[in-house]
Amino acid sequence: MRRDQVELAGGTVIAYGHYGRPFLVFPSEQGRAWDWESNGMIDAIRPLLDDGRVKLYCVDSFDGASWSNRSIPMEDRARHHGTYEAWVLDHVLPMIHADCADSSWGGPQEVATMGCSLGAFHSVLFALRRADLFPLALGLSGNYDASSWHGWGERGDATYFANPVDFVPNLNGSHLDWLRSRLSILLVVGQGQWEDTTGSLPSTRHMADLLRAKGLRCELDVWGHDVPHDWPSWRSQIAHHLPRFV
């Protein structure tokens, strides 16, 4: 399996695989680009990588300066998230497009997203905001309400447009019609330890309800009470679901 590490202005990207459907992979909270490899996620889907069915682009997080920074109010956290979004769109995505163009991957340069825990939030948020670039999102054990993360201070436009549970209920008109034709989201969560205390279980169910109420394509897969909010669960879940998307 091919592994290439690239240092971009603002962070690290590690590409796994020779060619295949491209996925932008977000780490869990405050994670680094190598977290999926370090926690066995790459090995869990190695056959897909070896067979050229998928190529992963794992990125650094920016959570320490944004969503995980409890010293600043929620609106400032959302503004700092905007810096991360700009890095992904202006630096990471062009690199992925260039790499796909240079590989033997013959498909369109549409990039899917996926992530676990806070990475799931990023995966779904990026797809909802930029479905023109990311028409498919896979979220494992996500909490999709940023305001529940020890938020304080007044909330304005920055928080609203970076918080799916805020803006999804108000989607309407031609943009909503376009999203219905364009976007697909898979939400996966367990019912075991930490899925409730992190808010992932109720939030995942609520997010699925919001998406379905708007007629957006959303599949919800709830695993059992023996499935905790942890890497072994996510290894099993990604190995189960990813093959049908590639």
Side-chain angles (χ1 to χ4, degrees):
M1 178 194 67
R2 183 174 176 177
R3 180 188 188 278
D4 298 300
Q5 183 166 328
V6 179
E7 300 299 329
L8 298 176
T12 299
V13 182
I14 304 179
Y16 299 91
H18 301 278
Y19 48 86
R21 185 173 190 177
F23 274 80
L24 172 62
V25 180
F26 296 98
S28 58
E29 185 172 6
Q30 300 193 59
R32 298 300 307 274
W34 48 80
D35 280 7
W36 268 47
E37 181 179 358
S38 299
N39 288 284
M41 298 290 282
I42 301 301
D43 284 338
I45 57 171
R46 185 175 290 270
L48 300 178
L49 293 162
D50 290 341
D51 290 345
R53 294 172 60 183
V54 65
K55 187 163 187 177
L56 306 186
Y57 298 87
C58 298
V59 297
D60 283 342
S61 74
F62 193 63
D63 305 324
S66 58
W67 301 118
S68 301
N69 187 357
R70 300 183 186 180
S71 68
I72 59 177
M74 182 59 64
E75 188 72 358
D76 285 346
R77 296 184 212 179
R79 292 192 186 102
H80 286 303
H81 167 80
T83 301
Y84 183 59
E85 182 178 282
W87 176 69
V88 169
L89 297 180
D90 297 341
H91 296 278
V92 178
L93 193 59
M95 186 217 76
I96 296 175
H97 286 167
D99 187 55
C100 290
D102 291 339
S103 75
S104 56
W105 164 243
Q109 291 187 3
E110 293 178 341
V111 180
T113 63
M114 61 182 170
C116 310
S117 193
L118 190 50
F121 170 87
H122 288 301
S123 173
V124 171
L125 176 61
F126 270 82
L128 283 166
R129 284 175 55 88
R130 293 303 306 266
D132 57 323
L133 303 173
F134 310 109
L136 170 66
L138 281 59
L140 311 181
S141 297
N143 181 334
Y144 303 98
D145 183 5
S147 67
S148 69
W149 305 333
H150 305 279
W152 59 276
E154 294 185 4
R155 296 164 54 188
D157 286 348
T159 302
Y160 175 84
F161 288 109
N163 197 23
V165 301
D166 282 348
F167 69 76
V168 167
N170 296 316
L171 292 171
N172 59 74
S174 60
H175 180 64
L176 177 57
D177 291 338
W178 177 78
L179 282 175
R180 288 169 176 161
S181 69
R182 174 74 175 167
L183 181 62
S184 296
I185 295 177
L186 169 67
L187 302 178
V188 185
V189 70
Q191 300 178 78
Q193 191 175 23
W194 306 306
E195 291 285 46
D196 53 351
T197 56
T198 60
S200 296
L201 179 56
S203 184
T204 296
R205 285 175 164 156
H206 180 52
M207 190 75 248
D209 288 341
L210 293 178
L211 294 169
R212 289 169 174 172
K214 288 296 178 177
L216 295 170
R217 282 194 298 271
C218 174
E219 179 183 350
L220 173 63
D221 185 19
V222 179
W223 289 42
H225 294 277
D226 58 340
V227 180
H229 185 98
D230 204 358
W231 291 104
S233 305
W234 302 329
R235 290 195 292 266
S236 298
Q237 290 164 352
I238 202 63
H240 174 74
H241 280 290
L242 190 58
R244 61 193 174 92
F245 294 106
V246 299

